[in-house]
Amino acid sequence: MVESFSDGISSPLEGTLQMQIFEARGLNKIYHMGEVDVVALKDVDFDLFAGEMLVLLGASGSGKSTLLNILGGLDTPTSGVVKYQNVLLSHSDEKELTQYRRKHVGFVFQFYNLIPSLTALENVALVTEIADSPMRPEEALELVELGERLNHFPSQLSGGEQQRVAIARAVAKRPNVLLCDEPTGALDVETGIVVLKALQKVNQEVGTAVAIITHNAAISAIGDRVVQMSSGRIIENIRNEHKSSLDDIVW
Amino acid sequence: MRAISKKLFRDLWHHRGQMISIAAVTATAIMTVLTMRGTYESLYEARESYYQTSRFPDVWANLERAPESVRSLIQQIEGVSVVDTRVTFASTLDLENQVTPAVGRFYSAAPPSEMLGALHLRSGRWVSENDRNQVMVSEKFALANSFSEGDTLKAIINGRLRYLEIIATAISPEHSYAVPPGSLFPDDEQYGILWMSRQAMGAAFNMEGAFNEVALIIASNADIRHVQAELDQILKPYGGLGSYTRATQISNLILESELNSNKQMGTMIPAIFLAIVAFLLNIVLNRLISTQRQEIAVLKAFGYTNLDVGLFYLKFAYVAVIGGAIIGIFGGVWLGDLMVTVYRDYFDFPDLAYSLSPQLLAISISISFLAATVGALSGVRSAISLPPAEAMRPQAPARFSIGLIEHFAVLKKLPSATRMVVRNIERRPGKTLFSAIGVAFSVAILVIGLFMFDGMYYMMDLQFNVAQREDLTVSFNRPLPERVRFELGRLDGVNRVEFNRMVPIRIIKGALKRDMAITGRNVGDELNRIVHSDGSIMPLSLSGIIVSKYLADNLLIEAGDLVQVEVLEGARRIENVRVVSIVDDFLGINAYMHLETLHDLVGGPHLITGANLAVMGDAQADVAKKLSAIPMIANVSSPSRGFDLFKKQMSESLFVGIFFLVGFSSIISIAVIYNGARISLSERGRELASLRVLGFSKKEVSVLLFSEQAVITIFSIPIGWYIGKELSRISIAQIASETYRFPFMVDWETYMFSALITILAAIGSSMIVRRRLNNYDLISVLKTRD
Ligand SMILES: Nc1ncnc2c1ncn2[C@@H]1O[C@H](COP(=O)(O)OP(=O)(O)OP(=O)(O)O)[C@@H](O)[C@H]1O
Ligand SMILES: [Mg+2]
């Protein structure tokens, strides 16, 4: 049960760890496609806690992206409630959601979506220039081990490097949470590992909560928690007691 | 329907905004061709056929008086085919309802079969030779004063009040555009052309068996200069004032300049619009083809030929042109018809109607297709040459590199979002530049259209407020002794009298010569002054001659040159005179001399031919009435009335002009900005969506999208000012004529107005595209790979 994670008394450190970032209750998302209704989310309850690394698994079309997009303020649920800290995202308007994305949440997508006309550094600066207390762009790039390639344009970077720039751009504003939709989907295994390491590092060193959608079940080994979705529902929610390091995973 | 045709319809529908904007530009091009060129052709045809049927003369000459027997001498000049002698005089007409007296220009009317420039009766019947009081009047004069047949007209002929019976209204090819002496605009209320029988004219003006004007038609192979020279020779003893041709016949000259300006505008404006059509099709198709690479590849893989693919995109271009052409044809015919109706109020032609020639239609449509083809060419070519295999792969990501920002320290301070704008512009400077030039034409069209009004107003303002400051201009019907000025001064209300003498002369410089009038005036003249186009007042020198720059340019005269002046009256002396200065004036061609010096040149008694009066405000009408009752006075006119007429006419045409100019200009700027923004959105939609995901607001993102268009618009303004200014300069040079020249000047209001309209149009078109940007589905954009 989801509630179990918020139960119990915890140490001060535990306390921050247990602090709830997202609290979603009774989420439904229905797409009206002409005559048919596509139910993308069906009565979903979901929580995400500070500092946690969460892996979201599920078959194609099971509603993973829909859930993440709603959490990230890119989309709104048809019904149900989403709270980010104490703010009701499900009742926020377009402007509030924009502010929310601007200050509190970072995205990483399968396609890196870097701005081709800006260098790596500038792509990151794009975000730091509008955030409240960001890192220096160089710092963010060092975090993903790209301190050397600051002045390269996206067309001069490999896919993995571009994805790491995207991560740097996402974390540079020091968000509470990083939402990653198949961040390794377009990459080969080795490059994928480098990218995941970067995400792990962000999670551990900056303390950002990370939610990763993946099709690769092996990746669940690195999560504190693994959530499985199917046909718009959460069917499994397991705490991973034995996190393994990326290097130990058998791909 | 074939699948590919369905695709064509879907694609067209998807790009309907862009197609409509391109069609609108095409429509404007075709419309202006059909309107302006169509009007030109209609006017030209109507004039030619009228001149033909009415036997419009080739040469005219005025003289003091010659016996009718001289006619046979003229007939014998080699090359002369028809001679028509006339009697003509100006008289004061006493119209009840008019404050200042009206002027009637009387002509003798030969029987229609003998008359050159034959009258065309609009109503009534021809004057009978026996009835000395019958008169036929010009139709517009009759209309303006609500005269009809049977009405009586009071005229002061040769000092005697006569009651004339109006028995007909008529139009004459020599007075299609009837301008009172010394004016530029018709004044139908106060200026009428009147025709009486030759017998009646002879009796009224003491010209029995004599004539004072002759008109000729010459054989088509004749040498007109030779005919003129012979004619001038024959008329010399009879006070010949020098012959002139159609080129300086005032009605024909003004008609000619209208024809020219229609022809010129009907070429220049469509050319601009079609260039913009080509440019827009170029950028739209290139973008369309680059987004449809995969589709093209699939089509080719399925066996569609290069020709099929090429034709597909060419059809895309043609649909816009066909749509535009249809609207343009209807619009052009409608507007052309309207324009000809307006011209009918100014020019008297018996059958002036808008007619669209098949050739003009065919030419305008083919040129539009040509423009579309040129525009589509590079896109179509790239679609054809795209190998199917390569096309299947997505296009390589846009490459950017180090550029401007890295070279200029200031630019390094720019926020990253602004750097995007700089780099996008920098990556394709050609596209930016061409877009800016495109928009610049929207500014330029306004400048070209409006500067005419600026120049005209400036010119008229100088003319009436600086040069011609008298309240009444008086001209005598024959030279009078200088002392009449005291009599003028004695009239109640007259504050000041300045007097002058106009003498017909021939100025000769080398092989070049010119017949004209010279004005003798006094050094202290304050009412009427010689004014430069820059507004400065030119002092009169005691010796030598001052001439108009237009004349000087034509006769290759420079200040300090000696010219020969032949007096065309009295003892007909010829003397060498020094040109002391050249005045850059803008109405007519003028020559000035100190009055005493002119008296010496002409010889004989000191005579004057006219005067300028300053009159107390409330006494003007009274003084004018008294003056026109004096037999020796031919004409009394009030310059301020001229100015008022001018202002009235100008404000009417300014209103219509601004309406069309703003329309034309907006069509250009909207089309260029709208298409530019749509293309940017299509190229950069994905990156803008990413920015939205990163937390940029809708506003910030649209600022980024449109700042490129803003930069284009801002750059376009000075370019447009420049283009507009240069094109204006060219059209000024073409319009310049003996009758009037425009000073070249553009008011700052015109610059501001042109920029403002263009900026508003740019903002408007951005708004339309912004709606599209706001409706962008963020998530679906990010799901796809570009
Ligand atoms: N914009 C949309 N319009 C209609 N249906 C949609 C839309 N977006 C998603 N869906 C539907 O909602 C369901 C959930 O989609 P979602 O993208 O969340 O799945 P997913 O788990 O992320 O799948 P994948 O692993 O393939 O990315 C699917 O059935 C999908 O077809
Ligand atoms: Mg998904």
Side-chain angles (χ1 to χ4, degrees), chain A residues 42-107:
Chain A
K42 214 180 278 173
D43 199 22
V44 168
D45 294 342
F46 176 85
D47 299 77
L48 187 75
F49 299 93
E52 133 179 88
M53 169 80 98
L54 178 129
V55 176
L56 195 54
L57 291 173
S60 187
S62 57
K64 308 180 295 289
S65 298
T66 307
L67 177 61
L68 216 66
N69 289 339
I70 291 174
L71 296 177
L74 289 173
D75 206 349
T76 46
T78 313
S79 66
V81 180
V82 191
K83 262 205 272 181
Y84 166 77
Q85 291 174 337
N86 285 318
V87 185
L88 267 180
L89 291 184
S90 45
H91 291 72
S92 298
D93 64 13
E94 169 68 43
K95 269 201 179 120
E96 290 162 340
L97 288 180
T98 301
Q99 280 308 308
Y100 160 66
R101 292 198 300 267
R102 188 170 186 140
K103 304 218 164 104
H104 302 285
V105 62
F107 290 96

Side-chain angles (χ1 to χ4, degrees), chain A residues 115-164:
Chain A
I115 307 295
S117 55
L118 297 180
T119 61
L121 187 76
E122 290 163 345
N123 261 284
V124 179
L126 199 55
V127 166
T128 59
E129 282 160 4
I130 61 167
D132 280 345
S133 56
M135 305 177 186
R136 284 184 303 109
E138 294 84 350
E139 199 182 326
L141 284 163
E142 267 155 34
L143 201 62
V144 295
E145 272 141 38
L146 277 177
E148 313 286 289
R149 326 249 358 218
L150 301 181
N151 293 321
H152 286 63
F153 285 92
S155 60
Q156 300 163 326
L157 295 170
S158 74
E161 287 165 339
Q162 287 187 56
Q163 190 62 300
R164 279 187 285 153

Side-chain angles (χ1 to χ4, degrees), chain B residues 463-568:
Chain B
Q463 183 64 26
F464 292 110
N465 289 327
V466 182
Q468 240 182 306
R469 303 192 302 169
E470 70 267 21
D471 297 313
L472 292 174
T473 313
V474 179
S475 56
F476 312 144
N477 55 20
R478 66 186 132 89
L480 301 172
E482 271 189 16
R483 65 181 142 72
V484 295
R485 67 187 160 110
F486 299 116
E487 283 161 47
L488 292 173
R490 248 177 278 160
L491 286 171
D492 272 351
V494 173
N495 288 338
R496 186 181 170 89
V497 179
E498 289 173 4
F499 50 99
N500 53 56
R501 178 177 198 177
M502 299 251 270
V503 176
I505 57 161
R506 176 169 299 154
I507 291 192
I508 305 157
K509 169 85 194 302
L512 304 167
K513 60 182 181 210
R514 167 76 213 191
D515 293 342
M516 58 183 297
I518 188 168
T519 308
R521 43 195 304 147
N522 292 296
V523 174
D525 285 357
E526 275 179 6
L527 298 176
N528 194 298
R529 305 182 289 188
I530 307 170
V531 175
H532 251 308
S533 62
D534 65 2
S536 63
I537 291 149
M538 173 159 287
L540 187 70
S541 54
L542 291 176
S543 66
I545 181 174
I546 299 174
V547 298
S548 297
K549 183 166 182 299
Y550 191 83
L551 178 76
D553 291 346
N554 274 301
L555 298 189
L556 309 177
I557 296 171
E558 279 174 41
D561 285 357
L562 274 181
V563 293
Q564 262 191 337
V565 174
E566 177 182 354
V567 178
L568 298 181

Side-chain angles (χ1 to χ4, degrees), chain A residues 60-61 63-66 69 110 181-182 213 215, chain B residues 783:
Chain A
S60 187
K64 308 180 295 289
S65 298
T66 307
N69 289 339
Q110 177 178 0
D181 195 341
E182 299 183 42
I213 292 179
H215 279 134
Chain B
K783 266 186 194 159

